[in-house]
Amino acid sequence: MFYTEDVLVMETAIDDMNPEFFPHLLDRLLEAGALDAYLQPVVMKKGRPGTMLTVLARENIQDILLQIIFSETSTLGVRLRTERRACLYRDFITVQTRYGTLRVKLALEGAGGRPLRYAPEYEDCRARAREHGVPVQSVYRAALLAAENMLKDEK
Amino acid sequence: MFYTEDVLVMETAIDDMNPEFFPHLLDRLLEAGALDAYLQPVVMKKGRPGTMLTVLARENIQDILLQIIFSETSTLGVRLRTERRACLYRDFITVQTRYGTLRVKLALEGAGGRPLRYAPEYEDCRARAREHGVPVQSVYRAALLAAENMLKDEK
Amino acid sequence: MFYTEDVLVMETAIDDMNPEFFPHLLDRLLEAGALDAYLQPVVMKKGRPGTMLTVLARENIQDILLQIIFSETSTLGVRLRTERRACLYRDFITVQTRYGTLRVKLALEGAGGRPLRYAPEYEDCRARAREHGVPVQSVYRAALLAAENMLKDEK
Amino acid sequence: MFYTEDVLVMETAIDDMNPEFFPHLLDRLLEAGALDAYLQPVVMKKGRPGTMLTVLARENIQDILLQIIFSETSTLGVRLRTERRACLYRDFITVQTRYGTLRVKLALEGAGGRPLRYAPEYEDCRARAREHGVPVQSVYRAALLAAENMLKDEK
Amino acid sequence: MFYTEDVLVMETAIDDMNPEFFPHLLDRLLEAGALDAYLQPVVMKKGRPGTMLTVLARENIQDILLQIIFSETSTLGVRLRTERRACLYRDFITVQTRYGTLRVKLALEGAGGRPLRYAPEYEDCRARAREHGVPVQSVYRAALLAAENMLKDEK
Amino acid sequence: MFYTEDVLVMETAIDDMNPEFFPHLLDRLLEAGALDAYLQPVVMKKGRPGTMLTVLARENIQDILLQIIFSETSTLGVRLRTERRACLYRDFITVQTRYGTLRVKLALEGAGGRPLRYAPEYEDCRARAREHGVPVQSVYRAALLAAENMLKDEK
């Protein structure tokens, strides 16, 4: 049903940096090839409200990402570990709606297999909603329905 | 004082699913044999307020739990690692209180050793509190006192 | 069962200050007479992980507290509102344990009434635990038992 | 588009109670008629990781809810304020799916007006998913599609 | 030292919406004139991990903002209250650094008064850092120093 | 640019302990030699608002730290893993300001290399601010400027 791969996990908890700097940090990490990056609230020693940064990446860009973290944050140490990751095979289809064309991401039951589930690409929905001046929910739901109909016909 | 064992840790951060679905997910994971499962708030890319799922389990049910996560959530990838776990030996005693019989969990100083500390079983307290129409705190405290007296007599 | 009073609530969300500064801020606010002060994680615009400060106080020290907030943080605006507060009447007793004397706080069923519940003063327990080199839990539990016995005898 | 009403908001921050007790507290508050009740993580003085409780209710049950909070928690004071609330008019429809009958909640554009949006009742979906041994997501999506078709026909 | 004004506070807790939709919501609220908007993690009934939305605004755009919230989220009710807000007077200066020109925001000791403190405009720093391929911290610190020197000369 | 070392990571999620006990626990862990210790909010099974404890340490004090965790908390199991940690080389300088002498921590570009960035020691700033009755921000900024001037002269 799924395949596995190795993924590098990088973590550091930061309590001495202006938090305005975090969104730029996440952008730079993702632009440099990180698979994902996110933040969590933590309570550090003496009751300081800090932020834990987690970054997922392929191992071959470890040093590039460390360079970014060390230059864009106040941290002096970043923890590193390698984990396995179980991943679903995925594919994209394109659907037509009254708001225009959108991509829908499919999670497959195996390599080249049938769709297990699907979800409209959020950033496509947001762009179409902006163009038409409608709520994102309306576009998202139209894309869901279009995907449902397209996939039903294929069976 | 403690023994160690291996435990599988599964993690995934989710930012594109109706959060109403999480409690059912936790229930299904625990029913399938997970040792524990919990959620943490995360801030994902573009400022999305997501949820990190962590599941602890024996390695032999990894694929059953992955199947549940992949069918009950929107995630496309679940991280896996094996950790050691240091555990206290534990035992149960049963105590009598004015609210009825309750179990109290003991943490022991070693296999078959003396109690290090103890805590009333919360779900027992809640059930007795419901029956008697009293606060859970009253039942919990009565169980603490009963355990204290029982264990003092044994010394 | 309870009495009511007015309380001033002050709030501001901060995303552009070194979080190391928060514990000193809370200390200064409490020293200046605030009834309580606490922090909550927030996600601010552009995905910035900020911190919400809440302070409770009597209205007559509003300006002193504002002065502290404006000089010790980066905020440019603090929200203010007056709320009612329903409070239990309270009292203290002193109990003897093998770890020494400790205060136990009582919540009463009305002014001068019977105890509804009670809780050992945490900072007393911590001090006694430090002196005796034992876990805080041991002292706390000893104080709970001593209070239970003292209050039972009074009935 | 919406109507307004008054709602009582009750809040208290708790840092000295076993957190196991919170779910029972929320259940009791909702059973007693609270409109909603929820919890938030807070960092209290001295770095204690506490929990903020918020309860929404009609003013006429204020004292019943205070009684529950004072008997089921460790708090000594609960803040109270009255707010306005802007509410959408709502209605329910019942839809047929391959998993059985489910309710779908409609938000209306005004009293007796057209549906603005709709959402399957989660607890209905969960019950149907349990009966059929399928993911909640499958039932939820089937209900969405059935509602879409029913509402489209009405136009 | 400060002036006060009225501010409308809008709040709603949401546990049944895809969290991908939140950043677009915040953007739309701010574009429509909200003074601020932020999110907090909450635990709602049945253990659902929801999100609390808070919006600050002038009262005259209340209905425009409610319209956005009702069309872009799943909520059926939004709480409203008016609070006072104590604000520092503020001003801007422009500083020259090796990375170019940036604005620095001043908080003043009173209307037209001396600077109490100052902070570089983060988005200016971010833009300059992008242009020069340097860490935001370097630009931010250069702006701090330039402001310090400019303000010292004025005394 | 950085060196790597091994670090032991210990984690446990706790939902059945009075949260007042956490700050003393962190103090004891740090006094016993832990490199860092922090807390995160978690939602545990049945919707309980718990706290995740993370401790970083050298492996040789694992058993001492486990002993503290098992005696000062309610947990029955602590997870253990070894991770690599990438660390910047660091150094201290002492600067003179109008508020007295303070240490400033330097992160270096390599062993014995040039300063990459620097940050005033927060606890030094706090002590000086207390002595002079000024905001911590004023002392912190004075230390930043003094460090900037000292390091500029060295080049």
Side-chain angles (χ1 to χ4, degrees), chain C residues 135-155:
Chain C
V136 174
Q137 292 190 77
S138 304
V139 180
Y140 194 91
R141 205 158 273 188
L144 263 189
L145 286 167
E148 179 75 15
N149 286 328
M150 177 179 290
L151 296 169
K152 193 171 52 188
D153 294 348
E154 285 183 4
K155 286 173 197 170

Side-chain angles (χ1 to χ4, degrees), chain E residues 81-144:
Chain E
R81 64 178 183 266
T82 302
E83 301 190 344
R84 282 165 293 141
R85 190 160 72 149
C87 297
L88 291 180
Y89 292 90
R90 62 201 81 178
D91 199 0
F92 281 94
I93 57 173
T94 301
V95 298
Q96 312 298 330
T97 70
R98 79 175 82 168
Y99 307 109
T101 299
L102 298 110
R103 282 172 302 160
V104 173
K105 192 189 285 180
L106 308 181
L108 306 180
E109 290 194 348
R114 290 188 316 166
L116 178 68
R117 51 184 159 74
Y118 51 90
E121 278 291 281
Y122 174 71
E123 293 301 333
D124 286 12
C125 296
R126 183 174 179 163
R128 292 300 91 71
R130 282 276 184 200
E131 288 164 18
H132 289 79
V134 296
V136 174
Q137 291 190 77
S138 303
V139 180
Y140 193 91
R141 206 159 272 189
L144 265 189

Side-chain angles (χ1 to χ4, degrees), chain C residues 24-43:
Chain C
H24 179 65
L25 170 67
L26 296 196
D27 286 353
R28 284 206 58 200
L29 292 166
L30 294 165
E31 289 164 13
L35 299 169
D36 207 353
Y38 51 81
L39 307 173
Q40 285 178 281
V42 295
V43 185

Side-chain angles (χ1 to χ4, degrees), chain A residues 18 20-21 23-24 27 31 71-74 122 126 130 134-137 140, chain E residues 18 20-21 23-24 27 31 71-74 122 126 130 134-137 140:
Chain A
N18 182 335
E20 283 182 316
F21 295 178
H24 179 66
D27 286 352
E31 289 164 13
S71 60
E72 296 284 357
T73 76
S74 60
Y122 175 70
R126 183 173 176 164
R130 283 275 185 200
V134 297
V136 173
Q137 291 190 77
Y140 194 90
Chain E
N18 181 336
E20 284 182 315
F21 295 178
H24 178 66
D27 286 353
E31 290 164 12
S71 60
E72 295 284 357
T73 75
S74 60
Y122 174 71
R126 183 174 179 163
R130 282 276 184 200
V134 296
V136 174
Q137 291 190 77
Y140 193 91

Side-chain angles (χ1 to χ4, degrees), chain B residues 10-69:
Chain B
M10 312 171 82
E11 287 188 330
T12 186
I14 295 176
D15 69 358
D16 58 352
M17 185 178 85
N18 181 337
E20 284 182 315
F21 295 179
F22 280 109
H24 179 66
L25 171 67
L26 296 197
D27 286 352
R28 285 207 56 200
L29 292 167
L30 293 165
E31 289 164 12
L35 299 169
D36 207 353
Y38 51 81
L39 307 173
Q40 287 178 281
V42 295
V43 185
M44 303 189 67
K45 66 180 178 220
K46 300 175 189 177
R48 297 173 186 171
T51 298
M52 164 80 92
L53 167 71
T54 303
V55 185
L56 308 187
R58 303 275 172 243
E59 294 218 315
N60 63 339
I61 59 167
Q62 173 190 297
D63 285 7
I64 293 168
L65 298 181
L66 278 175
Q67 170 74 37
I68 292 172
I69 295 170

